[in-house]
Amino acid sequence: MKSMKNLLKGAVAIVAVFFSTQFANAQQKIGHINFAEIISATSDYKTAEGQLKTLSETKTKEIQGMVTMLQAKQKEGTDKLRTRSEANKDTLDPELNKLGQEIQDMQTRIQTSQQTAQEELQKKEDELITPIQRKVADAVNAVSKEKGMAYVFDISSTNIPYFQGGEDLTAAVKSKLGISATAAPAVPAKK
């Protein structure tokens, strides 16, 4: 009889723990943010975007200058090829070969410069954007803790096909970062 009572007490305790866990889970607060909107509304992001645009334009001009020189060499080669005849081929062929090699070298330099420019832009973007992302993530964590959130979803990047309810923390995080809640996000630069 005593073991039956203990068994019954144990079963009641397990049921109580189960229901209290379910009740606690039901009380967990869920929120969402738009991380991309917050980042693009920061003044740091706008500054970084300007720096990246300037760097991109500089690299584009450098490469365009190289392309212009390449086009001039190609035109020179085409013009020399038009004047080639049986009489001047011994003189002109070595010049055309040299010009062909110069054109090939220029094409290689342009390709290398394009790749290097892309890598520099990516490195600069990482250098500028990573601290902003960390700053915003810290603000999201702080606001989430202040509001007692159990889960906060990023609706800008997470595949959440439907959500209803939950607390939108975007404005609170913007406020924590000193961004006006009505501040329009920056328009992403076209790449």
mmCIF file with all atom_site columns, all heavy atoms in Angstrom, residues 68-94:
data_model
loop_
_atom_site.group_PDB
_atom_site.id
_atom_site.type_symbol
_atom_site.label_atom_id
_atom_site.label_alt_id
_atom_site.label_comp_id
_atom_site.label_asym_id
_atom_site.label_entity_id
_atom_site.label_seq_id
_atom_site.pdbx_PDB_ins_code
_atom_site.Cartn_x
_atom_site.Cartn_y
_atom_site.Cartn_z
_atom_site.occupancy
_atom_site.B_iso_or_equiv
_atom_site.pdbx_formal_charge
_atom_site.auth_seq_id
_atom_site.auth_comp_id
_atom_site.auth_asym_id
_atom_site.auth_atom_id
_atom_site.pdbx_PDB_model_num
ATOM 1   N N   . THR A 1 68 ? 40.114 51.303 -72.225  1.00 0.00 ? 68 THR A N   1
ATOM 2   C CA  . THR A 1 68 ? 40.304 52.312 -73.271  1.00 0.00 ? 68 THR A CA  1
ATOM 3   C C   . THR A 1 68 ? 41.668 52.144 -73.932  1.00 0.00 ? 68 THR A C   1
ATOM 4   O O   . THR A 1 68 ? 41.783 52.217 -75.167  1.00 0.00 ? 68 THR A O   1
ATOM 5   C CB  . THR A 1 68 ? 40.155 53.734 -72.673  1.00 0.00 ? 68 THR A CB  1
ATOM 6   O OG1 . THR A 1 68 ? 38.844 53.844 -72.105  1.00 0.00 ? 68 THR A OG1 1
ATOM 7   C CG2 . THR A 1 68 ? 40.355 54.802 -73.714  1.00 0.00 ? 68 THR A CG2 1
ATOM 8   N N   . MET A 1 69 ? 42.698 51.902 -73.114  1.00 0.00 ? 69 MET A N   1
ATOM 9   C CA  . MET A 1 69 ? 44.047 51.677 -73.685  1.00 0.00 ? 69 MET A CA  1
ATOM 10  C C   . MET A 1 69 ? 44.062 50.401 -74.520  1.00 0.00 ? 69 MET A C   1
ATOM 11  O O   . MET A 1 69 ? 44.681 50.363 -75.586  1.00 0.00 ? 69 MET A O   1
ATOM 12  C CB  . MET A 1 69 ? 45.087 51.594 -72.558  1.00 0.00 ? 69 MET A CB  1
ATOM 13  C CG  . MET A 1 69 ? 45.336 52.940 -71.897  1.00 0.00 ? 69 MET A CG  1
ATOM 14  S SD  . MET A 1 69 ? 46.529 53.024 -70.518  1.00 0.00 ? 69 MET A SD  1
ATOM 15  C CE  . MET A 1 69 ? 47.341 51.495 -70.422  1.00 0.00 ? 69 MET A CE  1
ATOM 16  N N   . LEU A 1 70 ? 43.368 49.367 -74.061  1.00 0.00 ? 70 LEU A N   1
ATOM 17  C CA  . LEU A 1 70 ? 43.284 48.120 -74.814  1.00 0.00 ? 70 LEU A CA  1
ATOM 18  C C   . LEU A 1 70 ? 42.609 48.350 -76.161  1.00 0.00 ? 70 LEU A C   1
ATOM 19  O O   . LEU A 1 70 ? 43.097 47.863 -77.198  1.00 0.00 ? 70 LEU A O   1
ATOM 20  C CB  . LEU A 1 70 ? 42.511 47.065 -74.017  1.00 0.00 ? 70 LEU A CB  1
ATOM 21  C CG  . LEU A 1 70 ? 42.196 45.757 -74.754  1.00 0.00 ? 70 LEU A CG  1
ATOM 22  C CD1 . LEU A 1 70 ? 43.462 44.988 -75.077  1.00 0.00 ? 70 LEU A CD1 1
ATOM 23  C CD2 . LEU A 1 70 ? 41.246 44.902 -73.928  1.00 0.00 ? 70 LEU A CD2 1
ATOM 24  N N   . GLN A 1 71 ? 41.524 49.092 -76.157  1.00 0.00 ? 71 GLN A N   1
ATOM 25  C CA  . GLN A 1 71 ? 40.810 49.375 -77.400  1.00 0.00 ? 71 GLN A CA  1
ATOM 26  C C   . GLN A 1 71 ? 41.690 50.158 -78.377  1.00 0.00 ? 71 GLN A C   1
ATOM 27  O O   . GLN A 1 71 ? 41.655 49.915 -79.589  1.00 0.00 ? 71 GLN A O   1
ATOM 28  C CB  . GLN A 1 71 ? 39.514 50.137 -77.114  1.00 0.00 ? 71 GLN A CB  1
ATOM 29  C CG  . GLN A 1 71 ? 38.474 49.281 -76.428  1.00 0.00 ? 71 GLN A CG  1
ATOM 30  C CD  . GLN A 1 71 ? 37.286 50.074 -75.892  1.00 0.00 ? 71 GLN A CD  1
ATOM 31  O OE1 . GLN A 1 71 ? 37.362 51.279 -75.667  1.00 0.00 ? 71 GLN A OE1 1
ATOM 32  N NE2 . GLN A 1 71 ? 36.166 49.377 -75.667  1.00 0.00 ? 71 GLN A NE2 1
ATOM 33  N N   . ALA A 1 72 ? 42.504 51.074 -77.854  1.00 0.00 ? 72 ALA A N   1
ATOM 34  C CA  . ALA A 1 72 ? 43.419 51.837 -78.712  1.00 0.00 ? 72 ALA A CA  1
ATOM 35  C C   . ALA A 1 72 ? 44.454 50.905 -79.345  1.00 0.00 ? 72 ALA A C   1
ATOM 36  O O   . ALA A 1 72 ? 44.766 51.032 -80.543  1.00 0.00 ? 72 ALA A O   1
ATOM 37  C CB  . ALA A 1 72 ? 44.103 52.940 -77.903  1.00 0.00 ? 72 ALA A CB  1
ATOM 38  N N   . LYS A 1 73 ? 44.979 49.969 -78.551  1.00 0.00 ? 73 LYS A N   1
ATOM 39  C CA  . LYS A 1 73 ? 45.947 48.992 -79.087  1.00 0.00 ? 73 LYS A CA  1
ATOM 40  C C   . LYS A 1 73 ? 45.289 48.096 -80.134  1.00 0.00 ? 73 LYS A C   1
ATOM 41  O O   . LYS A 1 73 ? 45.891 47.788 -81.159  1.00 0.00 ? 73 LYS A O   1
ATOM 42  C CB  . LYS A 1 73 ? 46.516 48.119 -77.952  1.00 0.00 ? 73 LYS A CB  1
ATOM 43  C CG  . LYS A 1 73 ? 47.520 48.808 -77.088  1.00 0.00 ? 73 LYS A CG  1
ATOM 44  C CD  . LYS A 1 73 ? 48.861 48.905 -77.778  1.00 0.00 ? 73 LYS A CD  1
ATOM 45  C CE  . LYS A 1 73 ? 49.881 49.502 -76.826  1.00 0.00 ? 73 LYS A CE  1
ATOM 46  N NZ  . LYS A 1 73 ? 51.114 49.838 -77.488  1.00 0.00 ? 73 LYS A NZ  1
ATOM 47  N N   . GLN A 1 74 ? 44.053 47.684 -79.864  1.00 0.00 ? 74 GLN A N   1
ATOM 48  C CA  . GLN A 1 74 ? 43.354 46.845 -80.833  1.00 0.00 ? 74 GLN A CA  1
ATOM 49  C C   . GLN A 1 74 ? 43.118 47.597 -82.139  1.00 0.00 ? 74 GLN A C   1
ATOM 50  O O   . GLN A 1 74 ? 43.278 47.032 -83.220  1.00 0.00 ? 74 GLN A O   1
ATOM 51  C CB  . GLN A 1 74 ? 42.016 46.364 -80.243  1.00 0.00 ? 74 GLN A CB  1
ATOM 52  C CG  . GLN A 1 74 ? 42.188 45.334 -79.152  1.00 0.00 ? 74 GLN A CG  1
ATOM 53  C CD  . GLN A 1 74 ? 40.894 44.995 -78.438  1.00 0.00 ? 74 GLN A CD  1
ATOM 54  O OE1 . GLN A 1 74 ? 39.998 45.838 -78.314  1.00 0.00 ? 74 GLN A OE1 1
ATOM 55  N NE2 . GLN A 1 74 ? 40.796 43.764 -77.928  1.00 0.00 ? 74 GLN A NE2 1
ATOM 56  N N   . LYS A 1 75 ? 42.769 48.864 -82.049  1.00 0.00 ? 75 LYS A N   1
ATOM 57  C CA  . LYS A 1 75 ? 42.562 49.686 -83.248  1.00 0.00 ? 75 LYS A CA  1
ATOM 58  C C   . LYS A 1 75 ? 43.879 49.831 -84.013  1.00 0.00 ? 75 LYS A C   1
ATOM 59  O O   . LYS A 1 75 ? 43.915 49.740 -85.241  1.00 0.00 ? 75 LYS A O   1
ATOM 60  C CB  . LYS A 1 75 ? 42.010 51.062 -82.876  1.00 0.00 ? 75 LYS A CB  1
ATOM 61  C CG  . LYS A 1 75 ? 41.693 51.914 -84.098  1.00 0.00 ? 75 LYS A CG  1
ATOM 62  C CD  . LYS A 1 75 ? 41.136 53.256 -83.703  1.00 0.00 ? 75 LYS A CD  1
ATOM 63  C CE  . LYS A 1 75 ? 40.804 54.160 -84.851  1.00 0.00 ? 75 LYS A CE  1
ATOM 64  N NZ  . LYS A 1 75 ? 41.560 54.084 -86.050  1.00 0.00 ? 75 LYS A NZ  1
ATOM 65  N N   . GLU A 1 76 ? 44.966 50.060 -83.260  1.00 0.00 ? 76 GLU A N   1
ATOM 66  C CA  . GLU A 1 76 ? 46.287 50.171 -83.893  1.00 0.00 ? 76 GLU A CA  1
ATOM 67  C C   . GLU A 1 76 ? 46.612 48.882 -84.649  1.00 0.00 ? 76 GLU A C   1
ATOM 68  O O   . GLU A 1 76 ? 47.096 48.917 -85.785  1.00 0.00 ? 76 GLU A O   1
ATOM 69  C CB  . GLU A 1 76 ? 47.346 50.443 -82.817  1.00 0.00 ? 76 GLU A CB  1
ATOM 70  C CG  . GLU A 1 76 ? 48.761 50.592 -83.346  1.00 0.00 ? 76 GLU A CG  1
ATOM 71  C CD  . GLU A 1 76 ? 49.794 50.767 -82.233  1.00 0.00 ? 76 GLU A CD  1
ATOM 72  O OE1 . GLU A 1 76 ? 49.434 51.119 -81.092  1.00 0.00 ? 76 GLU A OE1 1
ATOM 73  O OE2 . GLU A 1 76 ? 50.985 50.527 -82.526  1.00 0.00 ? 76 GLU A OE2 1
ATOM 74  N N   . GLY A 1 77 ? 46.335 47.748 -84.021  1.00 0.00 ? 77 GLY A N   1
ATOM 75  C CA  . GLY A 1 77 ? 46.591 46.461 -84.673  1.00 0.00 ? 77 GLY A CA  1
ATOM 76  C C   . GLY A 1 77 ? 45.733 46.280 -85.915  1.00 0.00 ? 77 GLY A C   1
ATOM 77  O O   . GLY A 1 77 ? 46.221 45.809 -86.960  1.00 0.00 ? 77 GLY A O   1
ATOM 78  N N   . THR A 1 78 ? 44.454 46.652 -85.821  1.00 0.00 ? 78 THR A N   1
ATOM 79  C CA  . THR A 1 78 ? 43.547 46.541 -86.965  1.00 0.00 ? 78 THR A CA  1
ATOM 80  C C   . THR A 1 78 ? 44.018 47.432 -88.112  1.00 0.00 ? 78 THR A C   1
ATOM 81  O O   . THR A 1 78 ? 44.026 47.013 -89.283  1.00 0.00 ? 78 THR A O   1
ATOM 82  C CB  . THR A 1 78 ? 42.113 46.935 -86.553  1.00 0.00 ? 78 THR A CB  1
ATOM 83  O OG1 . THR A 1 78 ? 41.699 46.070 -85.494  1.00 0.00 ? 78 THR A OG1 1
ATOM 84  C CG2 . THR A 1 78 ? 41.136 46.797 -87.703  1.00 0.00 ? 78 THR A CG2 1
ATOM 85  N N   . ASP A 1 79 ? 44.424 48.669 -87.786  1.00 0.00 ? 79 ASP A N   1
ATOM 86  C CA  . ASP A 1 79 ? 44.912 49.602 -88.812  1.00 0.00 ? 79 ASP A CA  1
ATOM 87  C C   . ASP A 1 79 ? 46.170 49.066 -89.488  1.00 0.00 ? 79 ASP A C   1
ATOM 88  O O   . ASP A 1 79 ? 46.302 49.143 -90.715  1.00 0.00 ? 79 ASP A O   1
ATOM 89  C CB  . ASP A 1 79 ? 45.182 50.983 -88.197  1.00 0.00 ? 79 ASP A CB  1
ATOM 90  C CG  . ASP A 1 79 ? 43.913 51.689 -87.749  1.00 0.00 ? 79 ASP A CG  1
ATOM 91  O OD1 . ASP A 1 79 ? 42.805 51.256 -88.161  1.00 0.00 ? 79 ASP A OD1 1
ATOM 92  O OD2 . ASP A 1 79 ? 44.020 52.666 -86.975  1.00 0.00 ? 79 ASP A OD2 1
ATOM 93  N N   . LYS A 1 80 ? 47.092 48.517 -88.697  1.00 0.00 ? 80 LYS A N   1
ATOM 94  C CA  . LYS A 1 80 ? 48.329 47.974 -89.281  1.00 0.00 ? 80 LYS A CA  1
ATOM 95  C C   . LYS A 1 80 ? 48.019 46.753 -90.148  1.00 0.00 ? 80 LYS A C   1
ATOM 96  O O   . LYS A 1 80 ? 48.628 46.567 -91.198  1.00 0.00 ? 80 LYS A O   1
ATOM 97  C CB  . LYS A 1 80 ? 49.320 47.589 -88.178  1.00 0.00 ? 80 LYS A CB  1
ATOM 98  C CG  . LYS A 1 80 ? 50.031 48.771 -87.589  1.00 0.00 ? 80 LYS A CG  1
ATOM 99  C CD  . LYS A 1 80 ? 51.140 48.345 -86.659  1.00 0.00 ? 80 LYS A CD  1
ATOM 100 C CE  . LYS A 1 80 ? 51.826 49.598 -86.124  1.00 0.00 ? 80 LYS A CE  1
ATOM 101 N NZ  . LYS A 1 80 ? 53.090 49.300 -85.528  1.00 0.00 ? 80 LYS A NZ  1
ATOM 102 N N   . LEU A 1 81 ? 47.066 45.961 -89.708  1.00 0.00 ? 81 LEU A N   1
ATOM 103 C CA  . LEU A 1 81 ? 46.704 44.762 -90.464  1.00 0.00 ? 81 LEU A CA  1
ATOM 104 C C   . LEU A 1 81 ? 46.107 45.139 -91.818  1.00 0.00 ? 81 LEU A C   1
ATOM 105 O O   . LEU A 1 81 ? 46.359 44.460 -92.822  1.00 0.00 ? 81 LEU A O   1
ATOM 106 C CB  . LEU A 1 81 ? 45.715 43.915 -89.652  1.00 0.00 ? 81 LEU A CB  1
ATOM 107 C CG  . LEU A 1 81 ? 45.512 42.480 -90.102  1.00 0.00 ? 81 LEU A CG  1
ATOM 108 C CD1 . LEU A 1 81 ? 46.835 41.719 -90.156  1.00 0.00 ? 81 LEU A CD1 1
ATOM 109 C CD2 . LEU A 1 81 ? 44.563 41.768 -89.168  1.00 0.00 ? 81 LEU A CD2 1
ATOM 110 N N   . ARG A 1 82 ? 45.372 46.235 -91.864  1.00 0.00 ? 82 ARG A N   1
ATOM 111 C CA  . ARG A 1 82 ? 44.781 46.703 -93.124  1.00 0.00 ? 82 ARG A CA  1
ATOM 112 C C   . ARG A 1 82 ? 45.842 47.158 -94.120  1.00 0.00 ? 82 ARG A C   1
ATOM 113 O O   . ARG A 1 82 ? 45.637 47.076 -95.333  1.00 0.00 ? 82 ARG A O   1
ATOM 114 C CB  . ARG A 1 82 ? 43.826 47.865 -92.854  1.00 0.00 ? 82 ARG A CB  1
ATOM 115 C CG  . ARG A 1 82 ? 42.510 47.434 -92.289  1.00 0.00 ? 82 ARG A CG  1
ATOM 116 C CD  . ARG A 1 82 ? 41.525 48.595 -92.263  1.00 0.00 ? 82 ARG A CD  1
ATOM 117 N NE  . ARG A 1 82 ? 40.349 48.204 -91.520  1.00 0.00 ? 82 ARG A NE  1
ATOM 118 C CZ  . ARG A 1 82 ? 39.767 48.906 -90.589  1.00 0.00 ? 82 ARG A CZ  1
ATOM 119 N NH1 . ARG A 1 82 ? 40.219 50.107 -90.280  1.00 0.00 ? 82 ARG A NH1 1
ATOM 120 N NH2 . ARG A 1 82 ? 38.705 48.449 -89.958  1.00 0.00 ? 82 ARG A NH2 1
ATOM 121 N N   . THR A 1 83 ? 46.945 47.681 -93.602  1.00 0.00 ? 83 THR A N   1
ATOM 122 C CA  . THR A 1 83 ? 47.998 48.184 -94.506  1.00 0.00 ? 83 THR A CA  1
ATOM 123 C C   . THR A 1 83 ? 49.015 47.095 -94.847  1.00 0.00 ? 83 THR A C   1
ATOM 124 O O   . THR A 1 83 ? 49.944 47.349 -95.604  1.00 0.00 ? 83 THR A O   1
ATOM 125 C CB  . THR A 1 83 ? 48.744 49.370 -93.854  1.00 0.00 ? 83 THR A CB  1
ATOM 126 O OG1 . THR A 1 83 ? 49.388 48.928 -92.658  1.00 0.00 ? 83 THR A OG1 1
ATOM 127 C CG2 . THR A 1 83 ? 47.798 50.524 -93.570  1.00 0.00 ? 83 THR A CG2 1
ATOM 128 N N   . ARG A 1 84 ? 48.830 45.918 -94.311  1.00 0.00 ? 84 ARG A N   1
ATOM 129 C CA  . ARG A 1 84 ? 49.780 44.826 -94.570  1.00 0.00 ? 84 ARG A CA  1
ATOM 130 C C   . ARG A 1 84 ? 49.659 44.382 -96.018  1.00 0.00 ? 84 ARG A C   1
ATOM 131 O O   . ARG A 1 84 ? 48.564 44.192 -96.549  1.00 0.00 ? 84 ARG A O   1
ATOM 132 C CB  . ARG A 1 84 ? 49.473 43.657 -93.644  1.00 0.00 ? 84 ARG A CB  1
ATOM 133 C CG  . ARG A 1 84 ? 50.480 42.529 -93.749  1.00 0.00 ? 84 ARG A CG  1
ATOM 134 C CD  . ARG A 1 84 ? 50.097 41.427 -92.753  1.00 0.00 ? 84 ARG A CD  1
ATOM 135 N NE  . ARG A 1 84 ? 51.012 40.322 -92.839  1.00 0.00 ? 84 ARG A NE  1
ATOM 136 C CZ  . ARG A 1 84 ? 50.897 39.296 -93.697  1.00 0.00 ? 84 ARG A CZ  1
ATOM 137 N NH1 . ARG A 1 84 ? 49.898 39.235 -94.540  1.00 0.00 ? 84 ARG A NH1 1
ATOM 138 N NH2 . ARG A 1 84 ? 51.786 38.322 -93.706  1.00 0.00 ? 84 ARG A NH2 1
ATOM 139 N N   . SER A 1 85 ? 50.808 44.229 -96.617  1.00 0.00 ? 85 SER A N   1
ATOM 140 C CA  . SER A 1 85 ? 50.845 43.741 -97.999  1.00 0.00 ? 85 SER A CA  1
ATOM 141 C C   . SER A 1 85 ? 52.041 42.808 -98.139  1.00 0.00 ? 85 SER A C   1
ATOM 142 O O   . SER A 1 85 ? 52.823 42.640 -97.207  1.00 0.00 ? 85 SER A O   1
ATOM 143 C CB  . SER A 1 85 ? 50.969 44.924 -98.979  1.00 0.00 ? 85 SER A CB  1
ATOM 144 O OG  . SER A 1 85 ? 52.215 45.563 -98.807  1.00 0.00 ? 85 SER A OG  1
ATOM 145 N N   . GLU A 1 86 ? 52.162 42.250 -99.296  1.00 0.00 ? 86 GLU A N   1
ATOM 146 C CA  . GLU A 1 86 ? 53.281 41.353 -99.579  1.00 0.00 ? 86 GLU A CA  1
ATOM 147 C C   . GLU A 1 86 ? 54.596 42.118 -99.467  1.00 0.00 ? 86 GLU A C   1
ATOM 148 O O   . GLU A 1 86 ? 55.594 41.576 -98.988  1.00 0.00 ? 86 GLU A O   1
ATOM 149 C CB  . GLU A 1 86 ? 53.086 40.786 -100.992 1.00 0.00 ? 86 GLU A CB  1
ATOM 150 C CG  . GLU A 1 86 ? 53.569 39.404 -101.292 1.00 0.00 ? 86 GLU A CG  1
ATOM 151 C CD  . GLU A 1 86 ? 53.411 38.336 -100.224 1.00 0.00 ? 86 GLU A CD  1
ATOM 152 O OE1 . GLU A 1 86 ? 52.295 38.009 -99.775  1.00 0.00 ? 86 GLU A OE1 1
ATOM 153 O OE2 . GLU A 1 86 ? 54.457 37.800 -99.832  1.00 0.00 ? 86 GLU A OE2 1
ATOM 154 N N   . ALA A 1 87 ? 54.575 43.371 -99.830  1.00 0.00 ? 87 ALA A N   1
ATOM 155 C CA  . ALA A 1 87 ? 55.793 44.192 -99.834  1.00 0.00 ? 87 ALA A CA  1
ATOM 156 C C   . ALA A 1 87 ? 56.254 44.539 -98.419  1.00 0.00 ? 87 ALA A C   1
ATOM 157 O O   . ALA A 1 87 ? 57.463 44.620 -98.174  1.00 0.00 ? 87 ALA A O   1
ATOM 158 C CB  . ALA A 1 87 ? 55.555 45.477 -100.625 1.00 0.00 ? 87 ALA A CB  1
ATOM 159 N N   . ASN A 1 88 ? 55.332 44.765 -97.472  1.00 0.00 ? 88 ASN A N   1
ATOM 160 C CA  . ASN A 1 88 ? 55.753 45.207 -96.139  1.00 0.00 ? 88 ASN A CA  1
ATOM 161 C C   . ASN A 1 88 ? 55.536 44.151 -95.048  1.00 0.00 ? 88 ASN A C   1
ATOM 162 O O   . ASN A 1 88 ? 55.699 44.443 -93.868  1.00 0.00 ? 88 ASN A O   1
ATOM 163 C CB  . ASN A 1 88 ? 55.036 46.509 -95.762  1.00 0.00 ? 88 ASN A CB  1
ATOM 164 C CG  . ASN A 1 88 ? 53.546 46.335 -95.571  1.00 0.00 ? 88 ASN A CG  1
ATOM 165 O OD1 . ASN A 1 88 ? 53.016 45.238 -95.675  1.00 0.00 ? 88 ASN A OD1 1
ATOM 166 N ND2 . ASN A 1 88 ? 52.867 47.434 -95.303  1.00 0.00 ? 88 ASN A ND2 1
ATOM 167 N N   . LYS A 1 89 ? 55.188 42.947 -95.428  1.00 0.00 ? 89 LYS A N   1
ATOM 168 C CA  . LYS A 1 89 ? 54.870 41.935 -94.422  1.00 0.00 ? 89 LYS A CA  1
ATOM 169 C C   . LYS A 1 89 ? 56.068 41.569 -93.556  1.00 0.00 ? 89 LYS A C   1
ATOM 170 O O   . LYS A 1 89 ? 55.911 41.289 -92.382  1.00 0.00 ? 89 LYS A O   1
ATOM 171 C CB  . LYS A 1 89 ? 54.256 40.698 -95.058  1.00 0.00 ? 89 LYS A CB  1
ATOM 172 C CG  . LYS A 1 89 ? 55.207 39.771 -95.749  1.00 0.00 ? 89 LYS A CG  1
ATOM 173 C CD  . LYS A 1 89 ? 54.481 38.527 -96.222  1.00 0.00 ? 89 LYS A CD  1
ATOM 174 C CE  . LYS A 1 89 ? 55.529 37.557 -96.746  1.00 0.00 ? 89 LYS A CE  1
ATOM 175 N NZ  . LYS A 1 89 ? 54.952 36.334 -97.167  1.00 0.00 ? 89 LYS A NZ  1
ATOM 176 N N   . ASP A 1 90 ? 57.281 41.608 -94.090  1.00 0.00 ? 90 ASP A N   1
ATOM 177 C CA  . ASP A 1 90 ? 58.462 41.267 -93.284  1.00 0.00 ? 90 ASP A CA  1
ATOM 178 C C   . ASP A 1 90 ? 58.681 42.287 -92.168  1.00 0.00 ? 90 ASP A C   1
ATOM 179 O O   . ASP A 1 90 ? 59.151 41.938 -91.088  1.00 0.00 ? 90 ASP A O   1
ATOM 180 C CB  . ASP A 1 90 ? 59.712 41.181 -94.170  1.00 0.00 ? 90 ASP A CB  1
ATOM 181 C CG  . ASP A 1 90 ? 59.671 39.962 -95.083  1.00 0.00 ? 90 ASP A CG  1
ATOM 182 O OD1 . ASP A 1 90 ? 58.920 39.018 -94.773  1.00 0.00 ? 90 ASP A OD1 1
ATOM 183 O OD2 . ASP A 1 90 ? 60.381 39.963 -96.110  1.00 0.00 ? 90 ASP A OD2 1
ATOM 184 N N   . THR A 1 91 ? 58.327 43.525 -92.419  1.00 0.00 ? 91 THR A N   1
ATOM 185 C CA  . THR A 1 91 ? 58.469 44.576 -91.418  1.00 0.00 ? 91 THR A CA  1
ATOM 186 C C   . THR A 1 91 ? 57.265 44.588 -90.478  1.00 0.00 ? 91 THR A C   1
ATOM 187 O O   . THR A 1 91 ? 57.405 44.748 -89.266  1.00 0.00 ? 91 THR A O   1
ATOM 188 C CB  . THR A 1 91 ? 58.576 45.963 -92.103  1.00 0.00 ? 91 THR A CB  1
ATOM 189 O OG1 . THR A 1 91 ? 59.607 45.910 -93.077  1.00 0.00 ? 91 THR A OG1 1
ATOM 190 C CG2 . THR A 1 91 ? 58.865 47.047 -91.110  1.00 0.00 ? 91 THR A CG2 1
ATOM 191 N N   . LEU A 1 92 ? 56.091 44.421 -91.059  1.00 0.00 ? 92 LEU A N   1
ATOM 192 C CA  . LEU A 1 92 ? 54.856 44.564 -90.304  1.00 0.00 ? 92 LEU A CA  1
ATOM 193 C C   . LEU A 1 92 ? 54.515 43.344 -89.428  1.00 0.00 ? 92 LEU A C   1
ATOM 194 O O   . LEU A 1 92 ? 53.967 43.512 -88.332  1.00 0.00 ? 92 LEU A O   1
ATOM 195 C CB  . LEU A 1 92 ? 53.699 44.831 -91.282  1.00 0.00 ? 92 LEU A CB  1
ATOM 196 C CG  . LEU A 1 92 ? 52.602 45.757 -90.799  1.00 0.00 ? 92 LEU A CG  1
ATOM 197 C CD1 . LEU A 1 92 ? 53.150 47.036 -90.216  1.00 0.00 ? 92 LEU A CD1 1
ATOM 198 C CD2 . LEU A 1 92 ? 51.650 46.064 -91.930  1.00 0.00 ? 92 LEU A CD2 1
ATOM 199 N N   . ASP A 1 93 ? 54.843 42.161 -89.868  1.00 0.00 ? 93 ASP A N   1
ATOM 200 C CA  . ASP A 1 93 ? 54.496 40.959 -89.101  1.00 0.00 ? 93 ASP A CA  1
ATOM 201 C C   . ASP A 1 93 ? 55.119 40.947 -87.701  1.00 0.00 ? 93 ASP A C   1
ATOM 202 O O   . ASP A 1 93 ? 54.422 40.639 -86.729  1.00 0.00 ? 93 ASP A O   1
ATOM 203 C CB  . ASP A 1 93 ? 54.867 39.694 -89.876  1.00 0.00 ? 93 ASP A CB  1
ATOM 204 C CG  . ASP A 1 93 ? 53.861 39.375 -90.971  1.00 0.00 ? 93 ASP A CG  1
ATOM 205 O OD1 . ASP A 1 93 ? 52.804 40.050 -91.035  1.00 0.00 ? 93 ASP A OD1 1
ATOM 206 O OD2 . ASP A 1 93 ? 54.121 38.445 -91.767  1.00 0.00 ? 93 ASP A OD2 1
ATOM 207 N N   . PRO A 1 94 ? 56.403 41.278 -87.548  1.00 0.00 ? 94 PRO A N   1
ATOM 208 C CA  . PRO A 1 94 ? 56.957 41.326 -86.180  1.00 0.00 ? 94 PRO A CA  1
ATOM 209 C C   . PRO A 1 94 ? 56.244 42.383 -85.309  1.00 0.00 ? 94 PRO A C   1
ATOM 210 O O   . PRO A 1 94 ? 56.009 42.156 -84.117  1.00 0.00 ? 94 PRO A O   1
ATOM 211 C CB  . PRO A 1 94 ? 58.423 41.685 -86.370  1.00 0.00 ? 94 PRO A CB  1
ATOM 212 C CG  . PRO A 1 94 ? 58.741 41.271 -87.769  1.00 0.00 ? 94 PRO A CG  1
ATOM 213 C CD  . PRO A 1 94 ? 57.469 41.436 -88.543  1.00 0.00 ? 94 PRO A CD  1
#
